[in-house]
Amino acid sequence: MATRSEKAPNHQIDVDETVNRLGAKKGVESVTVLTRDGRVIRTTATAEQSEVQGKLLSKLARDAADIVEELESEDELSFLRIRTKRHEIMVALDHNYLLVVVQSPQKD
C-alpha cells in the first residue's frame, strides 16, 4: 500500500498539469491554486498578484459559501464567477482548495 508521501508527487503532477493546461488557454492571464485559507500552492501570476488573490478571493469565497448555506442549508457553493470590464475571475471551490483563473473577457 502506498504511503502518503509516495502519493504526493502524483498529486503535484496533477496540479501542475491542470495549471499548465488552463494557463495555455486563449485569454487566460493567470491560474492560481490556493488553500481555502488563501495560501498559494501553485500560480502563474506574480507573487504580489497571487498573494492579493489569495487574501481577497478566499475571503470572498468563504462569504459567498456562507450566504449560499444560509439561503439553502442543504446546498453548497462550488463555483464563483466575477466579470469586470477588464477581467473575468473564476473560482472553483473544493473542500480544501480554490482554483482561480483570471482571463480577459471575450469581446462580444
Side-chain angles (χ1 to χ4, degrees):
M1 182 171 188
T3 65
R4 185 179 192 107
S5 62
E6 291 171 344
K7 290 182 181 179
N10 289 335
H11 177 70
Q12 185 63 41
I13 290 169
D14 291 343
V15 170
D16 290 341
E17 286 176 356
T18 300
V19 168
N20 292 335
R21 187 179 76 250
L22 290 171
K25 300 280 185 188
K26 183 179 177 183
V28 170
E29 295 181 9
S30 68
V31 179
T32 303
V33 179
L34 306 164
T35 61
R36 287 295 288 244
D37 63 356
R39 288 182 291 123
V40 177
I41 296 172
R42 174 80 161 80
T43 188
T44 62
T46 66
E48 182 180 351
Q49 289 171 328
S50 60
E51 284 185 36
V52 170
Q53 286 177 359
K55 180 181 175 185
L56 298 176
L57 292 174
S58 63
K59 181 181 181 330
L60 178 62
R62 276 192 309 273
D63 291 346
D66 289 346
I67 290 169
V68 169
E69 186 177 337
E70 189 170 322
L71 293 172
E72 182 60 52
S73 64
E74 294 183 20
D75 206 354
E76 69 180 283
L77 183 66
S78 60
F79 193 80
L80 183 62
R81 179 177 167 202
I82 305 162
R83 186 169 179 156
T84 68
K85 290 180 182 179
R86 294 183 49 197
H87 295 100
E88 185 172 38
I89 303 167
M90 295 165 288
V91 182
L93 291 81
D94 180 71
H95 291 288
N96 299 315
Y97 305 101
L98 302 175
L99 174 65
V100 178
V101 177
V102 178
Q103 69 181 15
S104 298
Q106 299 276 333
K107 301 245 192 266
D108 296 331

